[in-house]
Every structure is written in C-alpha cells, then in structure tokens.
Amino acid sequence: MTISVEKPIFEEGSAFKKSGDKIGEFKLDGGFSMPKMDTEDDEAFLAPEMNAFGRQFRDYDVESERQKGVEEFYRLQHINQTVDFVTKMRAEYGKLDKKVMSIWECCELLNEVVDESDPDLDEPQIQHLLQSAEAIRKDYPNEDWLHLTALIHDLGKVITLPQFGGLPQWAVVGDTFPVGCAFDESNVHHKYFIDNPDFHNKAYNTKNGIYSEGCGLNNVMMSWGHDDYMYLVAKENGSTLPSPGQFIIRYHSFYPLHTAGEYTHLMNEEDKENLKWLHVFNKYDLYSKSKVHVDVEKVKPYYMSLIKKYFPENLRW
C-alpha cells in the first residue's frame, strides 16, 4: 500500500512548516491508510514560540535554577551511559518481571513522575501524554494508531518509580544517543562525555564504532531510558501498532537524529521511511506542552478503545 504524508520542515521560530507541494511517499505494511493531515492550514496545530516558563523551547543555556538542575542531569547521564551499562539494563528490564498491569493503569502511575531533564514543563506526565495525543487527534483524526502512540510514548518513565527499580532520572529520561560509537557533538552538553569511559575506548570512539554503515537502528544500542523500555514492553507483549508507531516510541528522544540530522549513516531504508512519521510526531511531543490541563475523564473512553484495539488487556512490565 502506498500512502502520502506531508513532510514537515523544522525552522527556528515556527518549528514546523509544510513543504509546499512536495509529498513524501512511502509504503507501510499492515493495511494502515495514512493520508496527509486532514485539518485546513489555518486550523492546524501552531507551535508556540515560548514554553510554559516564558522561554524558548529546549533552551539549555539560559540561566535559571531549573536549568542548573537540567545541566547536572546531563552531566550524570553522559558520564554513566556506557555500553556495559546499557547491556545490563536491557538484560534486566527485558525480563518484564516488574509488574502486570494495563496500559491505562500505567498512564495513571505517571501522575507520580516529573521529568527533571525537561526544561519546558514541570507538570505530571499524564498531562503531557494527553496534550500530545489530543493535538495530534485534532490534526490527524483518522490515524488512531498515532493518537495512541502519543498517549503511550512516555509510559516507560515508570522505571524511575520504586516498584520498577527506582532508576535515577539520568537512566530514564533526557535525550537519547547511540553507545558503542563516537558521541556526536550535536548531543546536549556534549562536554561531559569526556568523563565517560567509552569516550576513550578505541573500539567505541570512532564514527561507526562497533557498527557498520547502514546497519539499521534496530542493531544499534541506544542509551538506556524510557524510550527503549516502552518499546520492549510493546514488542514483547505483542502490540499490533504499525512499524512507524513502534519507531516513534523507541526514538522520540533521539534528538541528535530527528532534529540535528546526525547519525543518519547508521540508518537503513526502513528507518528512513519511519523517520518521516517521527518528524510529524515531534512537533506535537515538544510544542503541545502546556499548563492547560486535558479533562482526563472526558477523553478516557476514546483512548481505552484504542488500547483494546492495539494491546492485550494486561501487559508484563
């Protein structure tokens, strides 16, 4: 099946603009029809220029107490995310033996989580999920898989809670990046990688490192966090979300790729096709963050129907 999707162009100020008459065509298995955005241009989601704190989005340089905490977060993350650490985390959390519960139960657990790496919002995560999902639902009303992907993309953050092992935030949230190859300078606060043991390991500090060009992101180890964990949960529990949905879950925090355009040498053709949908998703993930809350009970029945469609009733976490 061949479908057409308008390919977004990210620009400073607007962050998302359509590419005029250019249409990106790609094929998707599974029978899912994914047309271009259904909303007229003057009604489409408009990215705000300022975050909830009155500053530019993803501004990691402005002086503030919150920014100091964010920088300390990235210092710890960059020092500790190594090949050995990621290998151990994937083995431990790949067991999926922490809890058995439904998707919606996990959504409710996120009320206990605030992302310390996020300079744009300090609201409970459940609101960010619903804000993203509802914004996408408005512009892409027929793509229910994308609505659900937005709702669940951050559920992996529960691994910071005690019942899931209580991992420190640097092992759960923040931008992700490949380990096992050179740390690209597009990574936020790149300077702190110098204290990462892999930075000085000759097997890991070249452009390709332990990988080969075009090997595919599925064969690349990413820094451990909620993205990879939620991907494992979805995959191992037999989710029927289409490939782009699972790709979004796994790589939505991979800003060096989807925003800076780095690490593309590791991608294969399937990655390139899925990246088009990640570009669509990204503006809603980043720019829908708001202090205005979504009425959870009002929208819950709709999302419960999507959960039933794409996931089993209870999942191993």
Side-chain angles (χ1 to χ4, degrees):
M1 177 179 293
T2 300
I3 46 82
S4 299
V5 175
E6 295 183 18
K7 184 178 179 180
I9 298 176
F10 290 85
E11 297 180 351
E12 186 174 356
S14 65
F16 178 88
K17 292 184 182 294
K18 298 178 184 176
S19 53
D21 297 327
K22 293 185 178 180
I23 299 294
E25 297 226 345
F26 61 101
K27 296 181 180 179
L28 178 65
D29 295 331
F32 290 88
S33 178
M34 302 179 186
K36 64 183 180 179
M37 187 165 65
D38 300 281
T39 308
E40 295 298 326
D41 287 357
D42 58 353
E43 297 177 354
F45 176 82
L46 297 176
E49 295 185 358
M50 297 294 178
N51 64 19
F53 301 107
R55 305 186 183 97
Q56 291 185 338
F57 285 87
R58 288 181 59 83
D59 186 345
Y60 292 95
D61 297 320
V62 65
E63 288 293 332
S64 72
E65 287 303 313
R66 182 166 180 78
Q67 291 292 1
K68 291 177 183 177
V70 170
E71 181 167 353
E72 174 60 12
F73 162 88
Y74 277 107
R75 186 185 72 83
L76 293 172
Q77 185 207 49
H78 291 354
I79 292 173
N80 291 290
Q81 290 277 3
T82 64
V83 169
D84 286 347
F85 175 76
V86 171
T87 301
K88 291 175 182 177
M89 289 297 99
R90 286 185 61 84
E92 171 61 26
Y93 282 88
K95 299 173 185 176
L96 300 180
D97 60 356
K98 302 295 185 268
K99 193 174 179 68
V100 175
M101 63 179 173
S102 68
I103 289 286
W104 192 262
E105 286 178 291
C106 191
C107 289
E108 293 178 332
L109 274 181
L110 282 199
N111 279 321
E112 303 174 29
V113 176
V114 172
D115 186 341
E116 294 177 2
S117 74
D118 191 344
D120 300 321
L121 193 66
D122 59 358
E123 295 291 309
Q125 291 296 300
I126 183 65
Q127 282 300 319
H128 167 51
L129 300 183
L130 287 172
Q131 288 164 357
S132 300
E134 285 294 284
I136 290 177
R137 183 182 175 189
K138 180 178 182 295
D139 287 352
Y140 294 85
N142 298 320
E143 320 319 321
D144 65 357
W145 67 272
L146 190 56
H147 312 164
L148 182 59
T149 298
L151 179 73
I152 69 173
H153 75 279
D154 274 347
L155 291 189
K157 291 179 179 180
V158 294
I159 56 178
T160 196
L161 299 176
Q163 58 267 49
F164 289 86
L167 290 180
Q169 291 242 340
W170 61 259
V172 180
V173 297
D175 292 4
T176 58
F177 47 86
V179 296
C181 62
F183 302 115
D184 189 84
E185 291 187 1
S186 62
N187 286 288
V188 173
H189 295 303
H190 178 271
K191 60 187 178 183
Y192 294 119
F193 282 118
I194 195 170
D195 292 323
N196 183 309
D198 290 357
F199 186 90
H200 306 282
N201 188 323
K202 293 182 179 180
Y204 301 149
N205 63 10
T206 62
K207 183 177 181 179
N208 287 338
I210 60 176
Y211 312 113
S212 59
E213 188 166 337
C215 64
L217 295 181
N218 191 52
N219 296 307
V220 174
M221 280 194 292
M222 299 295 295
S223 56
W224 176 252
H226 71 281
D227 302 57
D228 216 19
Y229 174 62
M230 188 59 209
Y231 167 76
L232 289 174
V233 170
K235 179 184 177 183
E236 297 304 320
N237 282 281
S239 171
T240 57
L241 278 176
S243 178
Q246 297 193 32
F247 186 90
I248 288 169
I249 290 170
R250 194 174 194 182
Y251 302 111
H252 67 272
S253 299
F254 192 4
Y255 278 85
L257 170 69
H258 64 66
T259 299
E262 304 298 337
Y263 295 106
T264 55
H265 62 287
L266 299 175
M267 298 171 65
N268 60 23
E269 290 304 312
E270 182 179 9
D271 294 329
K272 294 173 184 177
E273 299 302 316
N274 286 334
L275 182 60
K276 297 174 184 178
W277 273 115
L278 180 52
H279 280 154
V280 170
F281 171 82
N282 177 250
K283 73 153 184 172
Y284 298 93
D285 183 25
L286 179 57
Y287 297 105
S288 65
K289 297 172 183 178
S290 170
K291 291 287 188 180
V292 180
H293 285 193
V294 175
D295 186 336
V296 177
E297 293 307 313
K298 182 178 180 180
V299 301
K300 180 178 177 179
Y302 173 69
Y303 290 103
M304 289 294 289
S305 72
L306 299 189
I307 292 168
K308 184 177 181 179
K309 180 177 180 180
Y310 291 106
F311 282 91
E313 181 177 356
N314 289 301
L315 290 76
R316 294 178 296 113
W317 298 79

